[in-house]
């Protein structure tokens, strides 16, 4: 993961685990660290969160061993969820506005990371997905509160209960995506989306920085505290569900690229 200065006031944070930028505690800790560095630099007015490769963040990587714990980004150690969600709280606590450049898919924890940003810039192939119910799991990373704040309760309920993929046009209609970058045939879509995110960041950086931070703090008031409260609940629900046969089936179905056959046990 790297951070680069773009112009005088924009910090570009880039996830570098192509092609899928799989989600785990180490990644989120590094994002939180770089956000904290940006917050401490008075010349940084906006952060752009981007990634290399085909997907913004394709959730956690459990394709290698198929075990149920890496499917949600932490292991079975008692402090596994605590460590992950402590970093999530730090991500949500950033004082600098964040624009996410979301190419490909943002799924599971990757969706949580995208939703933690203030704005999401997407392209024609972008997809957003809260796939937890398709794995037999409860949502995490604070999505229980962050997603309804962005899209409203009913759209959030639709995404969380069905686990379906939401395309860019639909996401734009209910503000899951804030801007949709047109991409001509053969163009580099991730680069176009990143450029679109940097353009939005440049607009934000032109505004009075103290006013921007003040307004943002008002609009996001209590969010980090809500995430801290809800992730404790999410971790308990996830721990309970990880012991079920449905999680085994959900992960197996995902690995085998087939529809899951849940038995409710």
């Amino acid at each position: 993961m790297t951070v680069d200065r773009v112009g005088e006031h924009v910090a570009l944070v880039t996830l570098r685990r192509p092609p899928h930028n799989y989600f785990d505690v180490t990644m989120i800790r590094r994002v939180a660290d770089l956000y904290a560095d940006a917050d401490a630099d008075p010349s940084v007015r906006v952060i752009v969160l981007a990634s290399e490769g085909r997907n913004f963040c394709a959730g956690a990587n459990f394709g290698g061993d198929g075990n149920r714990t890496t499917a949600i980004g932490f292991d079975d150690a008692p402090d596994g969820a605590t460590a992950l969600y402590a970093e999530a709280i730090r991500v949500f606590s950033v004082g600098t506005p964040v624009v996410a450049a979301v190419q490909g898919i943002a799924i599971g924890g990757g969706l949580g990371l995208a939703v933690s940003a203030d704005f999401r810039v997407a392209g024609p192939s972008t997809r957003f997905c809260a796939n937890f119910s398709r794995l037999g799991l409860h949502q995490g990373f604070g999505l229980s509160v962050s997603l309804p704040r962005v899209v409203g309760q009913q759209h959030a309920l639709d995404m969380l209960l069905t686990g379906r993929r939401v395309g860019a046009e639909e996401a734009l209609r209910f503000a899951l995506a804030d801007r949709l970058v047109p991409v001509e045939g053969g163009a580099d879509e991730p680069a176009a989306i990143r450029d679109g995110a940097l353009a939005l960041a440049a607009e934000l950086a032109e505004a009075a920085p103290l006013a921007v931070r003040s307004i943002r703090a008002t609009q996001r008031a209590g969010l980090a505290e809500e995430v801290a409260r809800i992730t404790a609940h999410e971790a308990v629900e996830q721990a309970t569900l990880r012991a079920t046969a449905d999680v085994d089936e959900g992960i197996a179905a995902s690995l085998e690229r087939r529809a899951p056959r849940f038995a409710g046990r």
Side-chain angles (χ1 to χ4, degrees):
M1 191 175 300
T2 61
V3 60
D4 301 287
R5 186 61 64 90
V6 180
E8 189 176 357
H9 299 301
V10 177
L12 173 63
V13 174
T14 305
L15 310 178
R16 297 189 183 277
R17 291 183 180 175
H20 304 303
N21 297 291
Y22 286 118
F23 172 100
D24 63 13
V25 178
T26 300
M27 173 189 281
I28 302 307
R29 180 177 295 117
R30 182 61 174 151
V31 170
D33 287 344
L34 293 176
Y35 281 11
D37 291 345
D39 264 358
D41 184 343
S43 71
V44 175
R45 299 183 181 180
V46 188
I47 298 166
V48 171
L49 178 64
S51 57
E52 290 185 342
R54 189 170 72 198
N55 294 309
F56 171 75
C57 181
N61 182 10
F62 59 98
D65 56 17
N67 80 57
R68 66 177 70 205
T69 56
T70 53
I72 51 179
F74 55 83
D75 59 32
D76 270 332
D79 62 349
T82 301
L84 177 66
Y85 293 146
E87 302 306 329
I89 294 163
R90 292 179 62 211
V91 167
F92 278 95
S93 298
V94 64
T96 306
V98 179
V99 180
V102 185
Q103 80 273 13
I105 192 162
I107 188 169
L111 175 66
L113 185 59
V115 171
S116 73
D118 299 276
F119 302 98
R120 284 149 298 281
V121 176
S125 70
T126 302
R127 301 290 182 268
F128 300 90
C129 181
N131 66 329
F132 303 92
S133 67
R134 304 292 291 179
L135 294 171
L137 286 165
H138 188 283
Q139 69 272 9
F141 207 79
L143 277 164
S144 304
V145 295
S146 62
L147 189 60
R149 272 203 179 210
V150 172
V151 304
Q153 178 62 27
Q154 286 306 113
H155 288 305
L157 193 63
D158 177 354
M159 291 184 68
L160 291 168
L161 292 186
T162 66
R164 69 185 180 88
R165 297 189 176 195
V166 173
E169 293 284 354
E170 183 181 4
L172 187 66
R173 288 198 298 273
F174 57 79
L176 185 53
D178 297 280
R179 296 192 179 180
L180 182 56
V181 176
V183 179
E184 302 298 331
D188 184 341
E189 184 167 334
I193 294 169
R194 183 178 60 251
D195 289 346
L198 288 169
L200 174 54
E203 289 183 43
L204 296 170
E206 290 174 357
L210 298 180
V212 166
R213 288 176 73 99
S214 176
I215 292 166
R216 180 182 183 273
T218 297
Q219 296 307 115
R220 287 173 68 103
L223 177 57
E225 292 78 9
E226 289 182 42
V227 169
R229 174 186 59 81
I230 205 65
T231 50
H233 170 77
E234 289 172 342
V236 170
E237 293 297 319
Q238 288 176 331
T240 299
L241 290 171
R242 289 204 323 265
T244 67
D246 276 352
V247 166
D248 292 329
E249 169 59 18
I251 292 174
S254 178
L255 291 170
E256 295 165 13
R257 299 185 179 276
R258 60 172 173 80
R261 297 182 291 271
F262 294 122
R265 62 177 188 273

